[in-house]
Amino acid sequence: MFPFFAQGAAQAVEDAAVLARCLADSPAGPQHALQRYESGRLARTTRLQNLSHARRDVNDLPDGPEQRARDAALADSDPLVGNGWIYGFDAEKALARGSADSRSSDLHS
């Protein structure tokens, strides 16, 4: 995980919580639990990886017109609202639904 969106440690904690829940809820054994874990985490973690990698070039712009445009866009937006799907994700709710993906319906109310 690239160091953007403050998700390296956060995803490790989410992974641990989801894996623990999968193992605890799996009467079919650890192989089934691991398959459930992988299928439940793949969409969300892939989306976060792609988003984080895309930020590499945007965050490291040299001083100039592109950097000023980026700064202006950031000043005119609320990143917590735009990225609510990241920070408000409810892994247990998503797992209970059968897919721990990153849809907005998984946000805390």
Side-chain angles (χ1 to χ4, degrees):
M1 187 70 65
F2 276 25
F4 309 117
F5 299 98
Q7 289 302 295
Q11 288 309 297
V13 170
E14 266 187 33
D15 285 342
V18 171
L19 181 58
R21 174 62 62 193
C22 289
L23 288 167
D25 291 349
S26 182
Q31 183 173 352
H32 179 263
L34 290 171
Q35 289 170 341
R36 183 174 177 224
Y37 163 78
E38 180 182 26
S39 68
R41 294 297 290 158
L42 193 58
R44 177 169 172 76
T45 56
T46 298
R47 184 176 177 193
L48 278 163
Q49 283 283 353
N50 290 338
L51 183 66
S52 185
H53 283 237
R55 288 301 300 219
R56 174 188 57 209
D57 297 328
V58 173
N59 283 10
D60 294 329
L61 290 171
D63 291 344
E66 288 182 300
Q67 169 262 319
R68 286 189 293 279
R70 178 210 56 210
D71 292 352
L74 288 171
D76 290 338
S77 67
D78 184 342
L80 293 178
V81 171
N83 295 308
W85 67 272
I86 298 172
Y87 306 116
F89 184 72
D90 186 332
E92 285 203 14
K93 182 177 176 183
L95 192 59
R97 258 198 4 264
S99 170
D101 66 11
S102 53
R103 305 289 180 241
S104 60
S105 62
D106 298 330
L107 301 179
H108 293 284
S109 7

